Amino acid sequence: MKGFIDISYVAVAVVFILGLKAMSSPATARKGIVWAGWAMIAATLVTLFWPGMQNFALMIVAMVIGGSLAWWSGKNVAMTDMPQMVAIYNGMGGGAAAAIAAVEFARGEMHGGMVAFLAVLGALIGSVAFSGSCVAYAKLQGIMKKAYRFPAQNQLNVGLAAVVAILGLAIATAEHPGGWAIVLFFVLSLALGVIVTSPIGGADMPVVISLLNAFTGLAVGFEGYVLGNPALVVAGIVVGASGTLLTQLMAKAMNRPITNVLFTPITGEAQGGEAIEGSMREMGALDAAATMRYANKVIIVPGYGMAVAGAQHKVWEMSQLLEEAGVEVVFAIHPVAGRMPGHMNVLLAEAGVPYDKIFDLEEINADFALSDVALVIGANDVVNPTARTDKSSPIYGMPILNADQAQNVIVIKRGKGAGYSGIENALFYKDNCRMLYGSAQEAVGEIIGHVKSMDA
Ligand code: NAP
Protein backbone atom coordinates (compact mmCIF):
# COMPACT_ATOMS: atom_id res chain seq x y z
CA MET A 1 0.00 0.00 0.00
CA LYS A 2 2.82 2.41 0.91
CA GLY A 3 4.32 1.92 -2.58
CA PHE A 4 0.98 2.76 -4.20
CA ILE A 5 0.65 5.87 -2.03
CA ASP A 6 4.17 7.05 -2.93
CA ILE A 7 3.62 6.53 -6.66
CA SER A 8 0.30 8.38 -6.42
CA TYR A 9 2.01 11.30 -4.66
CA VAL A 10 4.63 11.55 -7.42
CA ALA A 11 1.87 11.54 -10.06
CA VAL A 12 -0.03 14.20 -8.10
CA ALA A 13 3.12 16.34 -7.84
CA VAL A 14 3.60 16.14 -11.61
CA VAL A 15 -0.02 17.24 -12.20
CA PHE A 16 0.42 20.16 -9.72
CA ILE A 17 3.40 21.38 -11.72
CA LEU A 18 1.66 20.93 -15.08
CA GLY A 19 -1.38 22.74 -13.67
CA LEU A 20 0.79 25.62 -12.52
CA LYS A 21 2.43 25.80 -15.94
CA ALA A 22 -1.01 25.96 -17.57
CA MET A 23 -1.99 28.79 -15.22
CA SER A 24 0.75 30.99 -16.68
CA SER A 25 -1.39 31.83 -19.73
CA PRO A 26 -4.97 33.12 -19.64
CA ALA A 27 -5.82 30.75 -22.50
CA THR A 28 -5.04 27.64 -20.44
CA ALA A 29 -5.41 28.96 -16.86
CA ARG A 30 -8.88 27.52 -16.27
CA LYS A 31 -7.64 24.09 -17.34
CA GLY A 32 -4.64 24.41 -15.01
CA ILE A 33 -6.86 25.19 -12.01
CA VAL A 34 -9.06 22.17 -12.74
CA TRP A 35 -6.04 19.83 -13.07
CA ALA A 36 -4.53 21.07 -9.81
CA GLY A 37 -7.93 20.72 -8.09
CA TRP A 38 -8.32 17.08 -9.19
CA ALA A 39 -4.73 16.39 -8.13
CA MET A 40 -5.51 17.78 -4.67
CA ILE A 41 -8.62 15.59 -4.40
CA ALA A 42 -6.56 12.55 -5.44
CA ALA A 43 -3.83 13.38 -2.88
CA THR A 44 -6.45 13.71 -0.14
CA LEU A 45 -8.15 10.42 -1.01
CA VAL A 46 -4.88 8.52 -1.27
CA THR A 47 -3.84 9.83 2.17
CA LEU A 48 -6.86 8.08 3.69
CA PHE A 49 -5.10 4.77 2.89
CA TRP A 50 -1.99 5.77 4.87
CA PRO A 51 -0.99 2.87 7.16
CA GLY A 52 -2.31 3.32 10.70
CA MET A 53 -4.76 6.05 9.70
CA GLN A 54 -7.60 6.49 12.22
CA ASN A 55 -10.50 8.84 12.97
CA PHE A 56 -12.07 8.48 9.54
CA ALA A 57 -15.44 9.79 10.70
CA LEU A 58 -13.91 13.02 12.04
CA MET A 59 -11.88 13.51 8.88
CA ILE A 60 -14.86 13.01 6.62
CA VAL A 61 -17.00 15.42 8.65
CA ALA A 62 -14.19 18.03 8.49
CA MET A 63 -13.77 17.52 4.74
CA VAL A 64 -17.51 17.79 4.08
CA ILE A 65 -17.81 21.00 6.14
CA GLY A 66 -14.66 22.57 4.67
CA GLY A 67 -15.41 21.43 1.12
CA SER A 68 -19.00 22.68 1.25
CA LEU A 69 -17.98 26.08 2.60
CA ALA A 70 -15.29 26.41 -0.06
CA TRP A 71 -17.68 25.32 -2.83
CA TRP A 72 -20.38 27.74 -1.66
CA SER A 73 -18.04 30.71 -1.24
CA GLY A 74 -16.27 29.99 -4.54
CA LYS A 75 -19.58 29.92 -6.39
CA ASN A 76 -20.94 33.06 -4.75
CA VAL A 77 -17.95 35.38 -4.45
CA ALA A 78 -18.20 38.54 -6.56
CA MET A 79 -15.28 39.04 -8.95
CA THR A 80 -14.42 42.27 -7.11
CA ASP A 81 -14.17 40.38 -3.80
CA MET A 82 -11.73 37.82 -5.18
CA PRO A 83 -8.61 39.36 -3.55
CA GLN A 84 -10.14 39.00 -0.06
CA MET A 85 -11.05 35.43 -0.86
CA VAL A 86 -7.54 34.66 -2.05
CA ALA A 87 -6.15 36.29 1.10
CA ILE A 88 -8.34 34.32 3.50
CA TYR A 89 -7.93 30.93 1.80
CA ASN A 90 -4.20 31.49 1.61
CA GLY A 91 -4.24 32.24 5.34
CA MET A 92 -6.10 28.99 5.99
CA GLY A 93 -3.23 27.09 4.38
CA GLY A 94 -0.75 28.77 6.73
CA GLY A 95 -3.07 28.12 9.68
CA ALA A 96 -3.40 24.45 8.72
CA ALA A 97 0.39 24.10 8.56
CA ALA A 98 0.74 25.71 12.00
CA ALA A 99 -2.01 23.42 13.33
CA ILE A 100 -0.09 20.35 12.14
CA ALA A 101 2.91 21.51 14.16
CA ALA A 102 0.70 22.24 17.17
CA VAL A 103 -0.73 18.70 17.04
CA GLU A 104 2.73 17.16 16.72
CA PHE A 105 3.92 19.09 19.78
CA ALA A 106 0.74 18.26 21.72
CA ARG A 107 1.37 14.55 21.06
CA GLY A 108 4.66 15.04 22.89
CA GLU A 109 6.67 13.40 20.13
CA MET A 110 9.02 16.27 19.40
CA HIS A 111 12.30 15.77 21.18
CA GLY A 112 14.67 18.17 19.43
CA GLY A 113 16.54 17.52 16.19
CA MET A 114 15.88 18.46 12.58
CA VAL A 115 12.21 17.44 12.54
CA ALA A 116 11.44 19.55 15.63
CA PHE A 117 13.36 22.48 14.12
CA LEU A 118 11.37 22.33 10.87
CA ALA A 119 8.10 21.89 12.79
CA VAL A 120 8.84 25.08 14.73
CA LEU A 121 9.86 26.96 11.59
CA GLY A 122 6.69 25.86 9.80
CA ALA A 123 4.61 26.79 12.85
CA LEU A 124 6.13 30.28 13.00
CA ILE A 125 5.78 31.01 9.30
CA GLY A 126 2.32 29.41 9.10
CA SER A 127 1.03 31.40 12.09
CA VAL A 128 2.34 34.68 10.64
CA ALA A 129 0.75 33.82 7.27
CA PHE A 130 -2.55 32.98 8.98
CA SER A 131 -2.93 36.06 11.17
CA GLY A 132 -1.39 38.35 8.52
CA SER A 133 -3.84 37.05 5.92
CA CYS A 134 -6.76 37.62 8.32
CA VAL A 135 -5.66 41.27 8.63
CA ALA A 136 -5.28 41.52 4.83
CA TYR A 137 -8.80 40.08 4.48
CA ALA A 138 -10.22 42.55 7.02
CA LYS A 139 -8.62 45.45 5.16
CA LEU A 140 -9.71 44.41 1.69
CA GLN A 141 -13.23 43.63 2.94
CA GLY A 142 -13.42 47.11 4.48
CA ILE A 143 -13.81 45.70 8.03
CA MET A 144 -10.52 47.30 9.06
CA LYS A 145 -10.69 50.73 7.51
CA LYS A 146 -7.40 52.23 8.61
CA ALA A 147 -3.76 51.26 8.62
CA TYR A 148 -2.64 51.08 12.27
CA ARG A 149 0.93 52.01 13.11
CA PHE A 150 2.23 51.13 16.55
CA PRO A 151 4.74 53.39 18.30
CA ALA A 152 8.31 52.45 17.25
CA GLN A 153 6.72 50.09 14.72
CA ASN A 154 9.90 48.80 13.06
CA GLN A 155 11.69 48.19 16.37
CA LEU A 156 8.56 46.42 17.64
CA ASN A 157 8.50 44.16 14.54
CA VAL A 158 12.16 43.25 14.84
CA GLY A 159 12.02 42.86 18.66
CA LEU A 160 8.97 40.59 18.56
CA ALA A 161 10.46 38.53 15.71
CA ALA A 162 13.63 38.07 17.77
CA VAL A 163 11.69 36.95 20.87
CA VAL A 164 9.67 34.46 18.81
CA ALA A 165 12.83 33.15 17.12
CA ILE A 166 14.61 32.61 20.47
CA LEU A 167 11.56 30.92 21.96
CA GLY A 168 11.21 28.74 18.86
CA LEU A 169 14.86 27.74 19.03
CA ALA A 170 14.48 26.81 22.70
CA ILE A 171 11.44 24.65 21.86
CA ALA A 172 13.16 23.04 18.87
CA THR A 173 16.22 22.05 20.89
CA ALA A 174 14.48 20.97 24.12
CA GLU A 175 14.15 17.26 24.84
CA HIS A 176 10.72 17.89 26.45
CA PRO A 177 9.49 21.36 25.47
CA GLY A 178 7.18 22.91 28.08
CA GLY A 179 3.48 23.32 27.29
CA TRP A 180 3.36 27.00 28.24
CA ALA A 181 6.40 27.81 26.12
CA ILE A 182 4.66 26.25 23.13
CA VAL A 183 1.41 28.17 23.78
CA LEU A 184 3.34 31.44 24.22
CA PHE A 185 5.25 30.72 21.01
CA PHE A 186 2.04 30.33 19.00
CA VAL A 187 0.40 33.41 20.57
CA LEU A 188 3.45 35.59 19.84
CA SER A 189 3.78 34.20 16.30
CA LEU A 190 0.14 35.08 15.58
CA ALA A 191 0.67 38.53 17.13
CA LEU A 192 3.70 39.03 14.89
CA GLY A 193 1.56 38.47 11.78
CA VAL A 194 -0.98 41.04 12.98
CA ILE A 195 1.59 43.64 14.00
CA VAL A 196 3.62 43.40 10.79
CA THR A 197 0.56 43.55 8.50
CA SER A 198 -1.53 46.19 10.31
CA PRO A 199 0.41 49.27 9.17
CA ILE A 200 0.51 48.13 5.56
CA GLY A 201 -2.24 49.48 3.38
CA GLY A 202 -3.07 51.08 0.10
CA ALA A 203 -1.09 50.17 -2.91
CA ASP A 204 1.17 47.69 -1.09
CA MET A 205 -1.54 45.08 -0.48
CA PRO A 206 -0.88 42.91 -3.56
CA VAL A 207 2.75 42.49 -2.57
CA VAL A 208 1.80 41.55 0.98
CA ILE A 209 -0.74 38.97 -0.14
CA SER A 210 1.70 37.26 -2.47
CA LEU A 211 4.41 37.37 0.23
CA LEU A 212 2.05 35.70 2.71
CA ASN A 213 1.19 33.21 0.00
CA ALA A 214 4.90 32.33 -0.31
CA PHE A 215 5.05 31.99 3.50
CA THR A 216 2.12 29.57 3.46
CA GLY A 217 3.89 27.46 0.84
CA LEU A 218 7.06 27.31 2.94
CA ALA A 219 5.14 26.41 6.10
CA VAL A 220 3.24 23.64 4.31
CA GLY A 221 6.50 22.30 2.85
CA PHE A 222 8.16 22.18 6.31
CA GLU A 223 5.19 20.46 7.89
CA GLY A 224 5.09 18.00 4.98
CA TYR A 225 8.65 17.06 5.96
CA VAL A 226 7.58 16.68 9.60
CA LEU A 227 4.76 14.32 8.59
CA GLY A 228 6.93 12.53 6.03
CA ASN A 229 4.36 13.37 3.34
CA PRO A 230 6.00 14.02 -0.07
CA ALA A 231 2.82 15.44 -1.66
CA LEU A 232 2.68 18.17 1.01
CA VAL A 233 6.40 18.89 0.56
CA VAL A 234 6.04 19.29 -3.21
CA ALA A 235 2.80 21.32 -2.99
CA GLY A 236 4.44 23.56 -0.38
CA ILE A 237 7.58 24.09 -2.43
CA VAL A 238 5.59 24.86 -5.58
CA VAL A 239 3.41 27.41 -3.73
CA GLY A 240 6.43 28.87 -1.92
CA ALA A 241 8.45 29.28 -5.11
CA SER A 242 5.62 30.70 -7.21
CA GLY A 243 4.59 33.02 -4.36
CA THR A 244 8.15 34.30 -4.08
CA LEU A 245 8.36 34.93 -7.83
CA LEU A 246 4.99 36.69 -7.80
CA THR A 247 6.09 38.83 -4.86
CA GLN A 248 9.19 39.92 -6.79
CA LEU A 249 7.11 40.61 -9.88
CA MET A 250 4.59 42.71 -7.94
CA ALA A 251 7.29 44.59 -6.05
CA LYS A 252 8.98 45.39 -9.38
CA ALA A 253 5.69 46.45 -10.99
CA MET A 254 5.12 48.93 -8.16
CA ASN A 255 8.80 49.83 -7.84
CA ARG A 256 8.57 49.06 -4.12
CA PRO A 257 11.38 46.96 -2.68
CA ILE A 258 9.92 44.41 -0.29
CA THR A 259 11.81 46.02 2.61
CA ASN A 260 9.95 49.28 1.91
CA VAL A 261 6.63 47.46 1.85
CA LEU A 262 7.35 46.00 5.30
CA PHE A 263 9.15 48.87 6.94
CA THR A 264 7.94 52.09 5.27
CA PRO A 265 4.44 51.29 4.07
CA ILE A 266 2.11 53.51 2.08
CA THR A 267 -0.86 53.89 4.37
CA GLY A 268 -3.54 54.33 1.72
CA GLU A 269 -4.24 57.86 2.87
CA ALA A 270 -3.21 60.86 0.78
CA GLN A 271 0.30 61.87 1.70
CA GLY A 272 2.98 63.95 0.03
CA GLY A 273 2.77 64.90 -3.60
CA GLU A 274 3.22 68.24 -5.35
CA ALA A 275 0.17 70.48 -5.75
CA ILE A 276 -1.40 70.08 -9.20
CA GLU A 277 -2.45 73.19 -11.12
CA GLY A 278 -5.31 73.61 -13.57
CA SER A 279 -8.76 72.11 -13.66
CA MET A 280 -10.49 68.99 -14.92
CA ARG A 281 -12.52 69.41 -18.12
CA GLU A 282 -15.68 67.50 -18.74
CA MET A 283 -16.87 65.79 -21.91
CA GLY A 284 -20.23 64.22 -22.84
CA ALA A 285 -20.80 60.67 -24.05
CA LEU A 286 -21.64 61.92 -27.55
CA ASP A 287 -18.29 63.71 -27.94
CA ALA A 288 -16.46 60.70 -26.53
CA ALA A 289 -18.23 58.43 -29.01
CA ALA A 290 -17.38 60.71 -31.94
CA THR A 291 -13.73 61.08 -30.88
CA MET A 292 -13.31 57.30 -30.84
CA ARG A 293 -15.55 56.48 -33.82
CA TYR A 294 -13.39 58.64 -36.11
CA ALA A 295 -10.04 57.64 -34.62
CA ASN A 296 -7.53 55.22 -36.16
CA LYS A 297 -6.33 53.68 -32.95
CA VAL A 298 -7.88 53.51 -29.47
CA ILE A 299 -6.08 52.02 -26.47
CA ILE A 300 -8.36 51.07 -23.59
CA VAL A 301 -6.91 51.15 -20.07
CA PRO A 302 -9.19 49.28 -17.66
CA GLY A 303 -8.85 49.65 -13.90
CA TYR A 304 -10.50 48.81 -10.62
CA GLY A 305 -13.58 50.96 -11.42
CA MET A 306 -14.37 48.83 -14.48
CA ALA A 307 -14.31 45.76 -12.23
CA VAL A 308 -16.57 47.34 -9.59
CA ALA A 309 -19.03 48.43 -12.25
CA GLY A 310 -18.87 45.00 -13.95
CA ALA A 311 -18.55 46.91 -17.22
CA GLN A 312 -16.28 44.48 -19.08
CA HIS A 313 -19.03 43.08 -21.32
CA LYS A 314 -20.18 46.56 -22.36
CA VAL A 315 -16.56 47.60 -22.95
CA TRP A 316 -16.04 44.66 -25.28
CA GLU A 317 -19.35 45.40 -27.08
CA MET A 318 -18.18 49.00 -27.62
CA SER A 319 -14.78 47.80 -28.87
CA GLN A 320 -16.41 45.50 -31.41
CA LEU A 321 -18.62 48.33 -32.70
CA LEU A 322 -15.58 50.58 -33.10
CA GLU A 323 -13.69 47.83 -34.89
CA GLU A 324 -16.58 47.31 -37.27
CA ALA A 325 -16.24 51.02 -38.05
CA GLY A 326 -12.56 50.48 -38.92
CA VAL A 327 -10.95 51.62 -35.64
CA GLU A 328 -8.09 49.55 -34.21
CA VAL A 329 -8.88 48.84 -30.55
CA VAL A 330 -6.48 47.22 -28.08
CA PHE A 331 -6.28 46.87 -24.30
CA ALA A 332 -3.37 47.92 -22.07
CA ILE A 333 -3.05 46.11 -18.75
CA HIS A 334 -0.94 47.39 -15.90
CA PRO A 335 0.42 44.56 -13.71
CA VAL A 336 -1.31 45.94 -10.60
CA ALA A 337 -4.48 47.31 -12.20
CA GLY A 338 -7.47 46.35 -10.09
CA ARG A 339 -7.08 44.67 -6.74
CA MET A 340 -5.21 41.47 -7.51
CA PRO A 341 -2.60 40.27 -9.98
CA GLY A 342 -4.23 39.42 -13.29
CA HIS A 343 -7.56 41.01 -12.23
CA MET A 344 -8.14 42.81 -15.55
CA ASN A 345 -6.99 39.87 -17.71
CA VAL A 346 -9.52 37.61 -16.00
CA LEU A 347 -12.38 40.08 -16.45
CA LEU A 348 -11.60 40.77 -20.10
CA ALA A 349 -11.20 37.05 -20.82
CA GLU A 350 -14.57 36.45 -19.14
CA ALA A 351 -16.14 39.05 -21.47
CA GLY A 352 -14.67 37.28 -24.51
CA VAL A 353 -11.87 39.72 -25.45
CA PRO A 354 -9.33 37.74 -27.52
CA TYR A 355 -5.89 37.39 -25.91
CA ASP A 356 -4.13 38.95 -28.89
CA LYS A 357 -5.87 42.26 -28.14
CA ILE A 358 -4.55 42.40 -24.58
CA PHE A 359 -1.08 43.84 -24.01
CA ASP A 360 1.15 44.17 -20.96
CA LEU A 361 2.76 47.45 -19.93
CA GLU A 362 6.14 46.78 -21.58
CA GLU A 363 4.52 45.63 -24.82
CA ILE A 364 2.25 48.63 -25.31
CA ASN A 365 3.72 51.63 -23.56
CA ALA A 366 5.48 52.97 -26.67
CA ASP A 367 2.22 52.78 -28.68
CA PHE A 368 0.34 55.39 -26.64
CA ALA A 369 2.27 58.21 -28.34
CA LEU A 370 1.10 56.84 -31.72
CA SER A 371 -2.56 56.42 -30.75
CA ASP A 372 -5.44 58.85 -31.20
CA VAL A 373 -7.30 58.02 -28.02
CA ALA A 374 -6.45 56.48 -24.66
CA LEU A 375 -9.74 55.52 -23.01
CA VAL A 376 -9.17 55.14 -19.27
CA ILE A 377 -12.04 53.26 -17.65
CA GLY A 378 -12.09 53.30 -13.84
CA ALA A 379 -8.30 53.37 -13.63
CA ASN A 380 -6.39 55.96 -11.69
CA ASP A 381 -3.03 55.20 -10.00
CA VAL A 382 -1.79 53.10 -12.91
CA VAL A 383 -1.95 56.12 -15.27
CA ASN A 384 -0.79 58.80 -12.83
CA PRO A 385 2.18 60.62 -14.42
CA THR A 386 3.34 62.01 -11.06
CA ALA A 387 4.79 58.53 -10.49
CA ARG A 388 7.46 59.49 -13.05
CA THR A 389 8.39 62.91 -11.77
CA ASP A 390 7.26 63.73 -8.24
CA LYS A 391 9.73 62.34 -5.73
CA SER A 392 7.43 63.22 -2.84
CA SER A 393 4.59 61.14 -4.27
CA PRO A 394 3.94 57.81 -2.51
CA ILE A 395 3.77 56.09 -5.90
CA TYR A 396 7.00 57.71 -7.18
CA GLY A 397 8.93 55.22 -9.31
CA MET A 398 5.99 52.92 -10.02
CA PRO A 399 6.03 52.20 -13.77
CA ILE A 400 2.81 53.57 -15.26
CA LEU A 401 0.92 53.22 -18.52
CA ASN A 402 1.77 56.20 -20.76
CA ALA A 403 -1.89 57.14 -21.38
CA ASP A 404 -0.97 60.83 -21.08
CA GLN A 405 1.08 60.54 -24.28
CA ALA A 406 -1.95 59.72 -26.44
CA GLN A 407 -3.32 62.52 -28.59
CA ASN A 408 -6.61 62.50 -26.65
CA VAL A 409 -7.30 60.99 -23.26
CA ILE A 410 -10.86 60.19 -22.15
CA VAL A 411 -11.31 59.18 -18.51
CA ILE A 412 -14.49 57.48 -17.36
CA LYS A 413 -15.05 57.66 -13.59
CA ARG A 414 -17.90 58.60 -11.31
CA GLY A 415 -16.48 61.80 -9.85
CA LYS A 416 -13.34 63.21 -8.33
CA GLY A 417 -12.54 60.13 -6.23
CA ALA A 418 -8.87 59.29 -5.72
CA GLY A 419 -7.27 55.95 -6.60
CA TYR A 420 -6.19 53.26 -4.16
CA SER A 421 -3.08 55.14 -3.05
CA GLY A 422 -5.29 58.11 -2.12
CA ILE A 423 -3.48 60.76 -4.18
CA GLU A 424 -4.51 63.24 -6.90
CA ASN A 425 -3.89 62.30 -10.54
CA ALA A 426 -2.05 64.88 -12.68
CA LEU A 427 -3.31 63.20 -15.87
CA PHE A 428 -6.86 64.44 -15.25
CA TYR A 429 -5.66 68.07 -15.35
CA LYS A 430 -3.74 67.80 -18.64
CA ASP A 431 -4.83 69.75 -21.74
CA ASN A 432 -5.37 66.60 -23.81
CA CYS A 433 -7.55 64.96 -21.15
CA ARG A 434 -11.35 65.05 -20.80
CA MET A 435 -13.45 63.54 -18.02
CA LEU A 436 -16.62 61.59 -18.76
CA TYR A 437 -18.34 61.36 -15.40
CA GLY A 438 -20.52 58.36 -14.66
CA SER A 439 -20.38 54.76 -13.56
CA ALA A 440 -18.43 52.74 -16.14
CA GLN A 441 -21.28 50.49 -17.22
CA GLU A 442 -23.74 53.34 -17.88
CA ALA A 443 -21.14 55.63 -19.44
CA VAL A 444 -19.95 52.96 -21.88
CA GLY A 445 -23.60 52.04 -22.57
CA GLU A 446 -24.25 55.65 -23.59
CA ILE A 447 -21.20 55.68 -25.86
CA ILE A 448 -22.42 52.48 -27.50
CA GLY A 449 -25.80 54.13 -28.19
CA HIS A 450 -24.14 57.13 -29.83
CA VAL A 451 -21.73 55.04 -31.94
CA LYS A 452 -24.68 52.98 -33.16
CA SER A 453 -26.62 56.08 -34.13
CA MET A 454 -23.59 57.43 -36.03
CA ASP A 455 -23.46 54.28 -38.14
CA ALA A 456 -27.22 53.95 -38.61
P1 NAP B 1 -7.45 52.83 -8.61
O1 NAP B 1 -6.21 53.63 -8.62
O2 NAP B 1 -7.87 52.22 -7.33
O3 NAP B 1 -8.63 53.78 -9.15
C1 NAP B 1 -9.90 53.29 -9.42
C2 NAP B 1 -10.77 54.44 -9.87
O4 NAP B 1 -11.99 53.87 -10.30
C3 NAP B 1 -11.09 55.41 -8.77
O5 NAP B 1 -10.39 56.61 -8.92
C4 NAP B 1 -12.63 55.62 -8.86
O6 NAP B 1 -12.91 57.00 -9.05
C5 NAP B 1 -13.00 54.82 -10.11
N1 NAP B 1 -14.25 54.09 -9.94
C6 NAP B 1 -14.72 53.44 -8.85
N2 NAP B 1 -15.92 52.90 -9.09
C7 NAP B 1 -16.21 53.20 -10.38
C8 NAP B 1 -17.31 52.91 -11.23
N3 NAP B 1 -18.37 52.21 -10.81
N4 NAP B 1 -17.29 53.37 -12.51
C9 NAP B 1 -16.24 54.09 -12.95
N5 NAP B 1 -15.17 54.39 -12.19
C10 NAP B 1 -15.16 53.96 -10.91
O7 NAP B 1 -7.40 51.66 -9.69
P2 NAP B 1 -6.25 51.18 -10.68
O8 NAP B 1 -5.84 52.29 -11.59
O9 NAP B 1 -6.76 49.94 -11.26
O10 NAP B 1 -5.01 50.94 -9.76
C11 NAP B 1 -4.94 49.86 -8.88
C12 NAP B 1 -4.45 50.33 -7.52
O11 NAP B 1 -4.77 49.33 -6.57
C13 NAP B 1 -2.97 50.53 -7.49
O12 NAP B 1 -2.64 51.56 -6.58
C14 NAP B 1 -2.49 49.20 -6.96
O13 NAP B 1 -1.21 49.26 -6.38
C15 NAP B 1 -3.56 48.88 -5.96
N6 NAP B 1 -3.76 47.47 -5.70
C16 NAP B 1 -3.56 46.56 -6.67
C17 NAP B 1 -3.71 45.22 -6.42
C18 NAP B 1 -3.41 44.21 -7.49
O14 NAP B 1 -2.88 43.14 -7.19
N7 NAP B 1 -3.73 44.50 -8.74
C19 NAP B 1 -4.14 44.80 -5.15
C20 NAP B 1 -4.40 45.76 -4.16
C21 NAP B 1 -4.18 47.09 -4.46
P3 NAP B 1 -14.37 57.57 -8.67
O15 NAP B 1 -14.57 57.27 -7.24
O16 NAP B 1 -14.30 59.03 -8.97
O17 NAP B 1 -15.33 56.86 -9.55
Side-chain angles (χ1 to χ4, degrees):
M1 185 50 78
K2 188 72 173 61
F4 163 73
I5 292 176
D6 285 344
I7 291 172
S8 307
Y9 281 163
V10 172
V12 157
V14 171
V15 182
F16 279 155
I17 292 165
L18 291 176
L20 195 66
K21 173 86 182 69
M23 285 178 222
S24 62
S25 153
T28 50
R30 199 183 285 263
K31 211 163 55 182
I33 297 265
V34 173
W35 289 351
W38 279 114
M40 188 51 87
I41 291 175
T44 311
L45 291 180
V46 164
T47 306
L48 295 177
F49 294 97
W50 195 275
M53 195 60 100
Q54 293 165 356
N55 292 330
F56 288 101
L58 273 180
M59 281 191 285
I60 289 170
V61 169
M63 281 192 277
V64 169
I65 294 176
S68 313
L69 277 176
W71 183 266
W72 178 83
S73 52
K75 283 272 172 209
N76 290 301
V77 66
M79 203 59 214
T80 42
D81 292 342
M82 238 358 166
Q84 297 83 305
M85 176 136 166
V86 171
I88 198 71
Y89 277 107
N90 168 45
M92 302 269 184
I100 291 175
V103 170
E104 291 303 304
F105 278 110
R107 278 163 23 124
E109 286 185 11
M110 291 286 162
H111 308 293
M114 192 51 152
V115 174
F117 180 72
L118 291 182
V120 165
L121 207 54
L124 167 58
I125 299 172
S127 302
V128 169
F130 174 67
S131 56
S133 298
C134 289
V135 173
Y137 171 84
K139 286 190 174 186
L140 292 171
Q141 187 66 21
I143 299 168
M144 194 171 162
K145 292 201 171 20
K146 275 176 62 186
Y148 294 96
R149 270 191 88 74
F150 296 87
Q153 176 76 49
N154 292 344
Q155 289 85 337
L156 182 67
N157 290 355
V158 174
L160 187 56
V163 171
V164 175
I166 292 167
L167 198 54
L169 211 59
I171 293 169
T173 49
E175 187 63 22
H176 298 287
W180 281 110
I182 294 172
V183 171
L184 186 64
F185 167 77
F186 275 101
V187 170
L188 292 183
S189 301
L190 290 169
L192 184 62
V194 173
I195 287 171
V196 169
T197 322
S198 293
I200 303 171
D204 286 334
M205 255 318 152
V207 187
V208 174
I209 291 174
S210 54
L211 182 69
L212 292 173
N213 180 38
F215 279 10
T216 291
L218 270 181
V220 168
F222 288 142
E223 299 309 334
Y225 184 85
V226 171
L227 293 180
N229 185 318
L232 267 190
V233 175
V234 174
I237 290 172
V238 169
V239 173
S242 52
T244 306
L245 287 175
L246 187 61
T247 308
Q248 280 179 345
L249 214 100
M250 290 282 104
K252 195 168 154 243
M254 297 166 72
N255 197 35
R256 297 267 299 152
I258 194 70
T259 43
N260 283 17
V261 172
L262 294 176
F263 296 112
T264 48
I266 297 172
T267 60
E269 289 141 20
Q271 40 171 285
E274 286 166 0
I276 299 170
E277 287 176 6
S279 59
M280 298 190 202
R281 272 154 292 197
E282 211 173 318
M283 168 188 245
L286 176 60
D287 285 344
T291 310
M292 290 191 283
R293 165 67 183 76
Y294 297 105
N296 288 318
K297 179 164 183 163
V298 173
I299 303 182
I300 299 181
V301 179
Y304 176 68
M306 184 191 80
V308 183
Q312 61 274 19
H313 293 276
K314 283 258 176 261
V315 171
W316 178 223
E317 187 186 339
M318 178 193 73
S319 313
Q320 285 171 298
L321 275 178
L322 291 172
E323 290 203 317
E324 281 163 22
V327 185
E328 183 193 353
V329 183
V330 291
F331 292 81
I333 311 284
H334 190 281
V336 294
R339 290 291 180 272
M340 65 177 179
H343 202 169
M344 296 300 125
N345 304 66
V346 173
L347 290 180
L348 295 179
E350 182 210 346
V353 179
Y355 304 119
D356 61 2
K357 293 206 160 296
I358 302 176
F359 295 91
D360 290 336
L361 183 138
E362 298 83 22
E363 293 172 323
I364 200 150
N365 243 357
D367 292 6
F368 279 102
L370 309 170
S371 67
D372 305 292
V373 182
L375 175 64
V376 178
I377 306 180
N380 195 334
D381 293 342
V382 299
V383 288
N384 191 341
T386 46
R388 291 194 206 111
T389 51
D390 181 1
K391 287 196 172 145
S392 65
S393 166
I395 59 166
Y396 176 70
M398 171 167 128
I400 57 149
L401 288 166
N402 295 336
D404 58 325
Q405 292 175 2
Q407 209 169 343
N408 300 284
V409 184
I410 302 172
V411 178
I412 298 178
K413 69 202 289 286
R414 294 163 310 171
K416 299 200 161 60
Y420 201 61
S421 67
I423 57 166
E424 278 280 8
N425 192 331
L427 169 69
F428 304 160
Y429 294 83
K430 289 204 165 238
D431 288 341
N432 61 342
C433 182
R434 295 289 177 276
M435 311 298 291
L436 172 50
Y437 292 117
S439 190
Q441 176 136 206
E442 283 87 62
V444 176
E446 275 185 55
I447 294 177
I448 289 175
H450 290 305
V451 173
K452 279 184 178 161
S453 61
M454 283 169 203
D455 290 326

